[in-house]
């Protein structure tokens, strides 16, 4: 006897206007999805297509007719006859300020499209003054919530600090962290359920940290690297990428990407090999793959060194 399959009813379509152009999208879709359907680009940083939106970066805010405040396009659901402006003066001013605040306090040098957005919205992070000197390694982690001294205004406070290099697989360069929470969510209940990292501190002193600020080898980290997969700024990166950038040899224009099946077990995870000059420099996974959704284990993410062992005659 066959088992009946229960099908959910199709989603109702709603009509939305984006920058004067009408588009029809399924009920429950976000404004960002409606914009993408029209080919309208909306800048995003904290949005991840495999994670629940956190609304942290506020770069994707748009103006909705009748709404008191600007709304995040990545999480706000569309409504019938909703009218959206993605490039109004109010939106541009908000994005400019957000980018200036981020640019004055965080190293955005490896954030894709950051320079393009700075130019588009005429953002000038330097108007807050010269950047403060980097904090010594471990100094920010030792701060306690509520214990800080106000600055004198002579320099713009930053989260800049030396990168944490305490293992052979990946590097934590928190001078590039924008506190988007994506790594915490990927490590936590949304995917890995390891809960090796969380947010410590408050306000400007908030930072991503392991429990009691332990080094990664001593923490609950299982080195799946799923935090690296979702990091939008390069605050988390492969050790190979970090070292090649330091040497000036990292060149994405020379890299090829080949997606194949991981051979370590029978799950069938897809892995995308990033190859530069015949060397695998990092591994990612397709976000639309029904098996992985962009996630891998330590073997799939980092276990590629054996491929590079060549026979010496």
């Amino acid at each position: 006897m066959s088992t009946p399959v229960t099908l959910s009813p199709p989603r109702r379509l709603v009509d939305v206007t984006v920058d004067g152009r009408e588009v029809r999208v399924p009920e429950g879709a976000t404004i960002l999805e409606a914009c993408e359907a029209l080919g309208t680009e909306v800048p995003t940083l904290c949005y991840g297509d495999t994670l629940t939106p956190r609304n942290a970066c506020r770069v994707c805010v748009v103006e909705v007719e009748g709404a008191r405040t600007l709304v995040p396009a990545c999480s706000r659901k569309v409504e019938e006859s909703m009218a959206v402006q993605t490039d109004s003066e109010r939106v541009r001013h908000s994005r400019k300020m957000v980018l200036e605040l981020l640019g004055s306090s965080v190293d955005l040098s490896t954030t894709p499209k950051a320079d393009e957005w700075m130019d588009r919205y005429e953002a000038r992070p330097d108007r807050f003054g010269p950047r403060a000197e980097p904090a010594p390694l471990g100094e920010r982690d030792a701060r306690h919530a509520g214990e800080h001294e106000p600055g004198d205004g002579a320099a713009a406070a930053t989260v800049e600090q030396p990168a944490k290099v305490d293992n052979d697989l990946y590097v934590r360069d928190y001078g590039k962290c924008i506190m988007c929470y994506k790594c915490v969510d990927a490590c936590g209940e949304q995917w890995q359920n390891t809960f090796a990292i969380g947010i410590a501190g408050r306000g400007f002193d908030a930072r991503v940290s392991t429990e009691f600020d332990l080094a990664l080898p001593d923490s609950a980290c299982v080195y799946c690297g799923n935090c690296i997969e979702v990091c939008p700024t390069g605050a988390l990166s492969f050790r190979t990428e970090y070292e090649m950038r330091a040497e000036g040899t990292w060149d994405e224009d020379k890299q090829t990407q080949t997606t194949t099946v991981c051979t370590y077990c029978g799950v069938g995870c897809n892995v995308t090999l990033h190859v530069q000059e015949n060397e695998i420099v990092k591994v990612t996974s397709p976000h639309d793959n029904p098996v992985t959704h962009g996630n891998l284990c330590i073997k799939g993410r980092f276990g590629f060194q054996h491929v590079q062992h060549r026979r010496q005659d």
Side-chain angles (χ1 to χ4, degrees):
M1 181 177 178
S2 60
T3 303
V5 178
T6 303
L7 299 177
S8 59
R11 289 197 290 174
R12 183 173 68 92
L13 298 177
V14 296
D15 292 312
V16 182
T17 302
V18 178
D19 295 335
R21 300 166 61 194
E22 292 186 358
V23 61
R24 180 168 291 180
V25 294
E27 187 177 34
T30 63
I31 294 176
L32 183 61
E33 290 172 326
C35 293
E36 291 175 343
L38 283 173
T40 300
E41 182 187 4
V42 174
T44 63
L45 282 174
C46 71
Y47 171 73
D49 56 358
T50 63
L51 298 167
T52 301
R54 277 279 193 163
N55 310 323
C57 75
R58 315 305 288 184
V59 177
C60 74
V61 292
V62 295
E63 189 168 5
V64 174
E65 186 177 286
R68 180 177 61 86
T69 62
L70 299 178
V71 301
C74 66
S75 61
R76 177 65 181 268
K77 300 293 192 296
V78 297
E79 300 173 12
E80 182 64 43
S81 302
M82 175 183 279
V84 179
Q85 291 290 330
T86 68
D87 200 40
S88 66
E89 185 60 33
R90 189 181 179 193
V91 169
R92 293 183 62 87
H93 178 74
S94 177
R95 291 179 183 166
K96 174 183 178 180
M97 180 168 291
V98 169
L99 289 169
E100 286 181 338
L101 290 171
L102 284 176
S104 69
S105 59
V106 179
D107 177 7
L108 300 177
S109 61
T110 55
T111 301
K113 295 190 174 182
D115 290 338
E116 176 186 328
W117 296 338
M118 290 287 184
D119 291 339
R120 181 189 306 175
Y121 298 106
E122 300 178 342
R124 292 180 47 250
D126 59 340
R127 74 185 180 91
F128 296 111
R131 294 170 66 93
E133 292 295 320
L137 184 63
E139 190 272 336
R140 283 182 55 82
D141 296 299
R143 296 178 185 175
H144 296 284
E147 297 182 8
H148 66 277
E149 297 180 1
D152 58 8
T158 76
V159 299
E160 196 169 354
Q161 57 191 295
K164 296 185 177 182
V165 187
D166 56 10
N167 66 93
D168 293 331
L169 301 182
Y170 72 96
V171 174
R172 297 174 291 163
D173 190 355
Y174 288 143
K176 299 178 180 179
C177 178
I178 62 169
M179 294 295 295
C180 68
Y181 288 78
K182 291 171 72 174
C183 59
V184 175
D185 289 339
C187 184
E189 62 183 7
Q190 293 198 34
W191 285 117
Q192 190 62 27
N193 285 283
T194 296
F195 300 97
I197 53 177
I199 303 300
R202 296 291 184 271
F204 197 80
D205 291 340
R207 66 272 183 192
V208 179
S209 177
T210 58
E211 188 174 9
F212 302 115
D213 189 34
L214 294 173
L216 278 183
D218 300 323
S219 72
C221 178
V222 295
Y223 294 97
C224 63
N226 294 330
C227 54
I228 305 173
E229 184 75 38
V230 299
C231 180
T233 64
L236 303 172
S237 64
F238 276 69
R239 180 78 176 263
T240 49
E241 178 179 348
Y242 176 80
E243 292 178 347
M244 290 177 68
R245 284 187 183 276
E247 297 168 355
T249 57
W250 181 265
D251 190 346
E252 293 185 0
D253 292 335
K254 294 181 179 180
Q255 294 175 14
T256 59
Q257 299 182 22
T258 303
T259 299
T260 183
V261 179
C262 180
T263 59
Y264 277 107
C265 71
V267 172
C269 298
N270 275 194
V271 293
T272 299
L273 309 179
H274 297 245
V275 178
Q276 180 176 328
E277 296 180 356
N278 205 31
E279 295 279 349
I280 299 174
V281 292
K282 73 174 183 178
V283 176
T284 58
S285 182
H287 288 197
D288 59 354
N289 183 267
V291 177
T292 64
H293 299 285
N295 300 293
L296 294 170
C297 72
I298 182 175
K299 293 181 180 179
R301 183 83 62 186
F302 297 107
F304 56 82
Q305 289 80 2
H306 67 284
V307 180
Q308 329 245 68
H309 289 174
R310 296 177 175 83
R311 179 179 177 180
Q312 300 294 327
D313 296 327

